[in-house]
Amino acid sequence: MAKVDNLTTKVLLAMILGAIIGGIFNLFLMQVSFINEFMVGGVFQVIGQIFIKLLKMLVVPLVFVSLVCGVTALGDVTKLGRLGGKALLFYLFTTAIAIVLAISIANLIAPGEGFDLSSTTTQEFTPKEAPTLAETFINLVPSNPIESMAQGQMLPVIVFSILFGIAIMLAGESGKRIEQQFNDYNEINMKLIGILMKFAPLGVFCLIAKTFAMQGFDVFQPLMGYFITVILTLLVHAFIIFPVLIKVLSGLNPVIFLRKMRHVQLFAFSTASSNATIPINMENAKNNLGVQNSTASFTIPLGATINMDGTAIMQGVATVFIANVYGIDLGLGDFLAVILTATLASIGTAGVPGVGLIMLAMVLNQVNLPVEGIALIIGVDRLLDMIRTAVNVTGDSAGTLIIAHSEKELAHEVYKQ
Ligand code: ASP
């Protein structure tokens, strides 16, 4: 526990310092070419990107190895099916709650009403093709697992790892030998995460300082209503909905959960990527929340890939905002379509920065809202992306905790520490 607090404090201090220095650079010093080119575009950029790459470097080996270990530790396929079913149900259910909450709060606050389109400098937005639902299903299965690993596509890697793990379970003596080796690899991966964490405060400092130096504060003013509505809803979801779900579904004390999630949230915030946060989230689930590897290794990467409550919230508020700005009335049927599409879209949203905005195009299309509306909000999206990613990963852990508890795979003495 002391270890976690220590890391949290260091990362938090690094973030605050990064925000202050980045903010000062943005206000006064960006014209100075030394600051602009050498510090922000040079040092901060290089160290920040190296840090993100180090995190990402771990994701594929970690997910593959620990998922194989997780499956073999479960010991039977029925248990795996039950775990998968519960995870899917929980993740889709909470995403649907998130979007209903977002639409309700956005309708109350009504951001974008009386919005003057000329008051904001819009940026270009060319929507990329969002995958169709049929493609999303077909793409679950890799035709070449190495290719999926190389491209960092999580769902096909998860499917392959599960099948590989099942085969090990069924392979008798040879399976036993390989299982032991995978357990050893897993230990080594955990050590690697430990080494990386030493570098975390510096990496986080550079990422935050660069974001604050680049992101001017004036872009926020015309979009204040939208910005505040998204943040408010994210906070309600993280600090009211998740704790209530944890209390009701597992009886565990949610305050402990929130305390132990702090450093994971800081990482998600700094990297704006659920995928890059998988190693930290998994380590936290095992070592601090007390979840067994067989559950965490499965539910955390799955959640990072398909469970995006924070993203769904942004999409719900953005839909209402864009409808208001363009003076288009949405009926109940439209809202139901938004709920359904955004929930399904979250399955296809990769856990990397900015993808939520691309998937928003799919939601807007569904209810015939102008996709160009995305250009209005793109300027403030970076900061919102950071905050919603913190909510996304909190949802993955909340689900993991509840499922582990229901499967009797939670070490209560570790959780309470
Ligand atoms: N950055 C988010 C995540 O990784 C996805 C998004 O909303 O763009 O969880």
Side-chain angles (χ1 to χ4, degrees):
M1 199 44 239
K3 193 188 96 211
V4 174
D5 274 346
N6 200 356
L7 179 68
T8 312
T9 317
K10 279 191 194 155
V11 171
L12 191 62
L13 285 177
M15 274 176 66
I16 295 173
L17 203 64
I20 294 174
I21 294 193
I24 294 176
F25 282 5
N26 179 273
L27 288 178
F28 307 111
L29 297 168
M30 279 305 265
Q31 304 82 333
V32 183
S33 76
F34 169 77
I35 297 288
N36 192 352
E37 280 158 31
F38 184 74
M39 292 306 293
V40 178
V43 177
F44 293 168
Q45 161 80 359
V46 171
I47 298 182
Q49 287 312 308
I50 288 182
F51 177 58
I52 295 221
K53 285 184 96 171
L54 284 172
L55 285 173
K56 286 192 184 158
M57 172 187 90
L58 275 177
V59 172
V60 169
L62 186 68
V63 170
F64 177 50
V65 172
S66 70
L67 200 47
V68 168
C69 292
V71 171
T72 50
L74 280 178
D76 73 280
V77 184
T78 352
K79 195 159 177 198
L80 182 68
R82 204 174 55 228
L83 208 63
K86 281 185 186 174
L88 209 61
L89 198 71
F90 181 87
Y91 289 151
L92 290 181
F93 173 64
T94 47
T95 307
I97 295 184
I99 180 117
V100 171
L101 191 71
I103 292 176
S104 314
I105 296 185
N107 273 311
L108 271 180
I109 299 183
E113 261 173 18
F115 183 88
D116 176 8
L117 273 178
S118 60
S119 69
T120 176
T121 40
T122 55
Q123 298 182 20
E124 276 296 308
F125 180 75
T126 347
K128 279 194 216 138
E129 272 300 303
T132 64
L133 200 57
E135 274 165 6
T136 307
F137 278 116
I138 295 172
N139 291 342
L140 283 179
V141 182
S143 50
N144 176 348
I146 306 293
E147 185 190 11
S148 301
M149 288 183 185
Q151 293 180 355
Q153 299 161 339
M154 288 332 287
L155 282 177
V157 172
I158 291 176
V159 169
F160 176 70
S161 313
I162 291 175
L163 291 175
F164 200 75
I166 293 176
I168 292 180
M169 219 157 42
L170 301 175
E173 269 312 303
S174 328
K176 284 262 163 304
R177 285 196 297 271
I178 293 294
E179 182 182 343
Q180 187 49 48
Q181 284 202 10
F182 266 89
N183 285 331
D184 290 347
Y185 284 136
N186 206 27
E187 278 303 308
I188 292 166
N189 275 340
M190 289 297 146
K191 280 278 169 289
L192 207 54
I193 298 181
I195 297 172
L196 220 141
M197 286 305 100
K198 304 223 179 307
F199 185 54
L202 179 65
V204 165
F205 168 79
C206 290
L207 285 174
I208 299 288
K210 174 159 189 272
T211 309
F212 275 76
M214 303 286 292
Q215 182 98 64
F217 292 98
D218 3 324
V219 292
F220 294 101
Q221 270 153 21
L223 291 164
M224 253 332 171
Y226 165 72
F227 191 71
I228 289 175
T229 313
V230 176
I231 294 185
L232 182 75
T233 318
L234 288 172
L235 291 177
V236 170
H237 199 67
F239 293 104
I240 298 178
I241 304 289
F242 287 143
V244 168
L245 285 175
I246 289 175
K247 190 75 207 161
V248 172
L249 297 176
S250 70
L252 294 164
N253 180 352
V255 179
I256 301 180
F257 171 76
L258 288 177
R259 173 165 57 81
K260 293 189 169 184
M261 280 308 290
R262 276 194 307 231
H263 73 290
V264 181
Q265 290 163 337
L266 295 181
F267 270 92
F269 180 85
S270 313
T271 57
S273 168
S274 303
N275 271 6
T277 313
I278 291 175
I280 291 105
N281 210 0
M282 227 143 102
E283 198 235 22
N284 185 58
K286 287 184 221 167
N287 296 345
N288 299 317
L289 298 179
V291 177
Q292 302 258 315
N293 181 47
S294 49
T295 304
S297 66
F298 181 57
T299 52
I300 296 277
L302 184 71
T305 316
I306 69 164
N307 182 42
M308 307 270 164
D309 294 3
T311 305
I313 286 174
M314 176 279 286
Q315 290 171 343
V317 177
T319 308
V320 176
F321 174 75
I322 291 171
N324 284 344
V325 169
Y326 286 91
I328 299 168
D329 276 333
L330 294 177
L332 189 63
D334 294 320
F335 285 125
L336 288 177
V338 170
I339 294 169
L340 193 69
T341 327
T343 306
L344 294 177
S346 79
I347 299 181
T349 307
V352 291
V355 182
L357 214 58
I358 296 167
M359 298 305 273
L360 176 60
M362 179 169 142
V363 179
L364 295 177
N365 268 332
Q366 200 64 35
V367 286
N368 295 322
L369 284 173
V371 173
E372 309 85 77
I374 295 180
L376 298 173
I377 53 176
I378 206 166
V380 293
D381 196 63
R382 176 66 196 175
L383 198 57
L384 290 180
D385 194 4
M386 294 158 88
I387 306 172
R388 69 177 179 253
T389 307
V391 175
N392 288 346
V393 301
T394 309
D396 306 338
S397 272
T400 299
L401 184 70
I402 292 169
I403 294 165
H405 177 266
S406 79
E407 290 287 317
K408 306 208 178 348
E409 293 241 330
L410 185 76
H412 286 261
E413 58 301 343
V414 177
Y415 182 71
K416 286 192 195 123
Q417 266 167 21

